[in-house]
Amino acid sequence: NAGVMQNPRHLVRRRGQEARLRCSPMKGHSHVYWYRQLPEEGLKFMVYLQKENIIDESGMPKERFSAEFPKEGPSILRIQQVVRGDSAAYFCASSPLGVGNQPQHFGDGTRLSIL
Amino acid sequence: QKEVEQNSGPLSVPEGAIASLNCTYSDRGSQSFFWYRQYSGKSPELIMSIYSNGDKEDGRFTAQLNKASQYVSLLIRDSQPSDSATYLCALNSNYQLIWGAGTKLIIKP
């Protein structure tokens, strides 16, 4: 499967635990974007990364959330000390280039549920 | 604050008819526009991209862009029940996508 791969598909955490979401971009894509979708709402941009660089994290909450895209391995979105409001679908997208007219291709998402 | 507005619907269209989905945006400088389809519980799937004023056709889908009026639309000809989904309009601002909330489309057999 050459598409964007996200895992896990579903993640359940209790309040105060940590959540780690993984994303492997499409083959040949070096630009990764994370979006969050709350129930019955549109997608909201969180962060844009290239290998070993965070380019734009303007959509990510300042506390508890972090993202990385290491030289080797998948991109990781990490949420510390999760709260009920973190329950959402988290989508990762990738593109071959980071310019504006490049369509972004999405993974199947991770559905995060906080008990 | 750059915004993308869509009627949330639901928009109900008989099978075989033309479904017309509309989207307006606030940023006059926007250059790239995308239509995605999202089935319930699934990820957004790219349908069309459009960058120039006018129409762009791909199979049963036609995207229309009017930068002067700041709207972009999607027409679906010969609508099928499998077209029932939420259609998301997005524009590219630098490298992040700004999304509308989506229009729920229901194709009635």
Side-chain angles (χ1 to χ4, degrees):
Chain A
N1 190 338
V4 178
M5 301 299 292
Q6 289 187 249
N7 69 81
R9 293 291 304 276
H10 301 274
L11 182 61
V12 179
R13 285 287 179 266
R14 296 187 180 279
R15 282 179 295 171
Q17 291 184 320
E18 178 180 289
R20 280 182 174 245
L21 289 62
R22 295 175 183 78
C23 169
S24 296
M26 283 181 73
K27 189 174 182 180
H29 289 192
S30 58
H31 299 256
V32 166
Y33 315 80
W34 285 92
Y35 294 87
R36 178 166 63 176
Q37 186 175 35
L38 296 171
E40 306 301 321
E41 293 189 13
L43 285 84
K44 302 294 184 190
F45 169 80
M46 297 183 74
V47 61
Y48 162 44
L49 308 105
Q50 295 178 34
K51 286 281 188 182
E52 300 184 279
N53 282 302
I54 297 175
I55 307 302
D56 181 357
E57 55 182 350
S58 61
M60 202 150 66
K62 295 287 187 288
E63 298 178 354
R64 303 188 298 109
F65 285 72
S66 62
E68 63 176 4
F69 190 13
K71 187 176 181 180
E72 301 291 336
S75 175
I76 306 286
L77 179 67
R78 182 183 179 206
I79 311 173
Q80 296 178 289
Q81 299 176 318
V82 295
V83 301
R84 287 245 171 88
D86 297 332
S87 295
Y90 291 82
F91 291 101
C92 170
S94 71
S95 65
L97 299 171
V99 295
N101 62 355
Q102 292 287 311
Q104 296 176 15
H105 298 268
F106 283 77
D108 286 337
T110 294
R111 272 77 181 167
L112 176 64
S113 298
I114 309 302
L115 301 179
Chain B
Q1 179 81 4
K2 296 172 183 175
E3 294 184 345
V4 178
E5 298 289 337
Q6 292 182 258
N7 188 321
S8 62
L11 174 65
S12 186
V13 173
E15 183 177 358
I18 295 174
S20 177
L21 303 156
N22 300 308
C23 171
T24 59
Y25 58 94
S26 62
D27 181 17
R28 280 196 172 275
S30 297
Q31 298 294 322
S32 306
F33 304 86
F34 307 92
W35 281 100
Y36 285 80
R37 176 175 63 195
Q38 187 175 29
Y39 294 111
S40 181
K42 302 294 185 181
S43 62
E45 174 192 6
L46 180 67
I47 297 176
M48 296 277 286
S49 58
I50 187 166
Y51 311 110
S52 304
N53 276 328
D55 295 359
K56 180 181 178 182
E57 187 174 316
D58 183 0
R60 294 188 297 113
F61 299 97
T62 299
Q64 300 173 319
L65 175 60
N66 184 322
K67 291 185 179 180
S69 300
Q70 295 175 244
Y71 82 78
V72 57
S73 62
L74 180 70
L75 301 178
I76 307 175
R77 288 181 299 280
D78 189 24
S79 297
Q80 304 296 311
S82 59
D83 294 327
S84 297
T86 296
Y87 288 80
L88 302 167
C89 172
L91 60 83
N92 199 304
S93 175
N94 294 323
Y95 21 70
Q96 61 175 275
L97 289 175
I98 309 296
W99 298 83
T103 298
K104 186 172 184 178
L105 176 66
I106 299 172
I107 306 300
K108 297 185 297 183

